[in-house]
Amino acid sequence: MRHNKKFNHLSRTHSHRDAMLANMTASLILHKRIFTTLAKAKALRVYAEPLINRAKEYNMQNWRLVFSRLNHKEAVKELFKEVGPKIAGRNGGYTRILKTGNRLGDNAKMCFIELVDYNEAMLKDSAAAKGAKKTRRSRGKKAEAPAAEAPAVEAPATETAE
């Protein structure tokens, strides 16, 4: 029976798909952002996030399990030494997918997939948004504000001959 087999096979065999996702996960960990198709990015998120979650706690069992899936010593080392402590306070959602448009050759949907805590531009925007003071405005105050700020301009007096 085919129960619970509804995932994207990406037109590849099981071994090819696993090897491709392992290589893409290692590249994502090493480079913090990769450019790929949307279908591959969604499949990569399902594959990579449980491995990244294992990196929160550094012990031999987690290290061996992640290494058995990735087979890339440098990527596993960086995952446990650098990425793991940085995402320790986060309860999931370690990757972000940013759509970039369609590829010219075959019109495939393209995107960036990146580790959330490593995009400096997004971190600056979120820090600025957290620091910004939120105010409540009503329509009545909005109409009064320009009138109060602008000084009243009087028309020049003209003398009429009587």
Side-chain angles (χ1 to χ4, degrees):
M1 286 190 242
R2 284 193 73 247
H3 295 300
N4 200 18
K5 301 286 186 186
K6 294 181 180 179
F7 60 91
N8 196 343
H9 295 281
L10 301 172
S11 299
R12 287 166 170 80
T13 62
H14 177 73
S15 58
H16 185 187
R17 188 172 53 249
D18 277 350
M20 182 191 67
L21 291 173
N23 289 332
M24 289 176 71
T25 303
S27 295
L28 178 65
I29 292 167
L30 292 174
H31 301 292
K32 310 301 187 262
R33 171 191 276 195
I34 58 174
F35 186 67
T36 184
T37 63
L38 185 61
K40 286 181 188 174
K42 288 180 178 180
L44 178 62
R45 178 193 292 175
V46 173
Y47 188 88
E49 291 217 1
L51 297 179
I52 296 170
N53 195 26
R54 290 274 181 176
K56 286 182 178 182
E57 183 183 351
Y58 183 80
N59 59 29
M60 192 55 66
Q61 180 182 5
N62 287 344
W63 197 94
R64 285 179 176 161
L65 192 141
V66 171
F67 184 75
S68 72
R69 298 287 299 272
L70 292 183
N71 291 322
H72 197 286
K73 189 181 270 188
E74 289 79 23
V76 175
K77 191 182 298 184
E78 182 154 348
L79 179 65
F80 278 95
K81 298 289 185 188
E82 185 180 335
V83 177
K86 195 163 187 175
I87 55 109
R90 186 178 288 274
N91 288 331
Y94 310 116
T95 58
R96 175 186 297 127
I97 294 177
L98 300 169
K99 297 177 184 174
T100 59
N102 295 346
R103 187 161 52 196
L104 290 177
D106 59 354
N107 208 30
K109 294 179 182 177
M110 300 300 287
C111 66
F112 282 109
I113 182 168
E114 65 184 6
L115 296 176
V116 171
D117 293 331
Y118 286 92
N119 189 343
E120 289 81 18
M122 291 280 211
L123 291 175
K124 289 177 186 175
D125 291 343
S126 65
K130 286 182 183 177
K133 184 179 177 184
K134 294 182 179 179
T135 60
R136 297 179 73 187
R137 294 200 274 185
S138 65
R139 294 178 192 259
K141 289 182 181 178
K142 191 174 184 180
E144 294 173 8
E149 291 177 6
V153 179
E154 295 180 17
T158 56
E159 294 183 22
T160 56
E162 291 180 17

